[in-house]
């Protein structure tokens, strides 16, 4: 039989910098080690982050360098592919610069693969009133996007 194990290590509202250099990374690293110890391997990391780095919030100026530091740290623990979703929509329109940076990371770095573009979930029914975080309907649809994406990728 085949099984899939998901481990959530999310930190709501965190910037890529916080996920790379704070307690959020320590927790992430601990979870990766725990999964590897329990199951012997990690097949993939689904990475969805970006909204906090929208130009209208914290900005994307350090996104690429912070992500590459995070990726380097991940590589010390596993060579599993990192599926990077494109995510920028928060309180307004998508951040085209941030989407370009995420696209560049996917295209230029081995082991960084394309995840779904969650900015396509712009209909208000998919978002909470802050128009940044996902509603239940948005989370359901994002899950479907990840699933459809995994079928294409395999």
């Amino acid at each position: 039989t085949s099984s899939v194990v998901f481990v959530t290590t999310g930190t709501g509202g965190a910037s890529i910098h916080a996920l790379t250099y704070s307690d959020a990374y320590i927790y992430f690293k601990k979870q990766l080690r725990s999964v590897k110890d329990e199951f012997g391997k990690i097949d993939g990391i689904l990475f969805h982050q970006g909204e906090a780095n929208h130009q209208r919030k914290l900005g994307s100026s350090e996104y690429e360098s912070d992500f590459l530091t995070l990726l380097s740290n991940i590589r010390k623990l596993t060579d599993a592919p990192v599926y990077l979703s494109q995510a920028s929509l928060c309180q307004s329109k998508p951040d085209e610069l941030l989407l370009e940076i995420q696209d560049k990371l996917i295209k230029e770095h081995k082991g960084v693969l394309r995840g779904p573009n969650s900015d396509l979930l712009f209909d208000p029914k998919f978002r909470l009133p802050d128009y940044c975080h996902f509603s239940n309907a948005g989370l359901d649809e994002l899950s479907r996007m990840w699933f459809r994406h995994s079928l294409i990728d395999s």
Side-chain angles (χ1 to χ4, degrees):
T1 64
S2 176
S3 63
V4 176
V5 175
F6 285 94
V7 177
T8 303
T9 62
T11 302
S15 68
I16 188 70
H17 189 81
L19 294 175
T20 302
Y21 297 103
S22 74
D23 289 344
Y25 177 72
I26 294 167
Y27 177 71
F28 175 69
K29 181 169 78 171
K30 180 179 174 185
Q31 294 301 100
L32 282 181
R33 284 187 173 149
S34 175
V35 168
K36 207 166 176 188
D37 290 347
E38 178 73 22
F39 299 100
K41 64 178 182 166
I42 297 170
D43 293 321
I45 296 170
L46 311 182
F47 192 81
H48 182 272
Q49 190 282 333
E51 296 91 336
N53 286 99
H54 191 285
Q55 63 186 344
R56 295 181 69 134
K57 293 188 81 174
L58 298 175
S60 57
S61 62
E62 302 298 318
Y63 191 94
E64 184 174 4
S65 63
D66 286 343
F67 182 86
L68 290 175
T69 298
L70 177 64
L71 183 63
S72 175
N73 291 339
I74 290 170
R75 291 296 170 244
K76 294 173 188 170
L77 303 167
T78 179
D79 62 354
V82 176
Y83 294 87
L84 177 60
S85 66
Q86 290 192 272
S88 77
L89 184 62
C90 190
Q91 301 172 348
S92 63
K93 62 183 182 175
D95 182 338
E96 295 301 325
L97 176 59
L98 180 54
L99 294 172
E100 286 176 22
I101 293 168
Q102 291 167 337
D103 187 55
K104 179 182 177 196
L105 288 164
I106 294 163
K107 288 178 178 176
E108 293 183 359
H109 296 279
K110 182 181 176 190
V112 179
L113 305 176
R114 189 172 305 281
N117 183 343
S118 66
D119 283 6
L120 298 175
L121 301 177
F122 57 84
D123 188 298
K125 73 180 179 185
F126 294 130
R127 302 286 174 154
L128 293 176
D130 68 1
Y131 203 65
C132 187
H133 296 92
F134 293 104
S135 65
N136 286 339
L139 290 171
D140 287 346
E141 188 56 33
L142 182 58
S143 296
R144 283 190 276 280
M145 290 171 76
W146 275 109
F147 178 73
R148 284 191 301 268
H149 190 80
S150 72
L151 293 176
I152 292 168
D153 197 44
S154 47

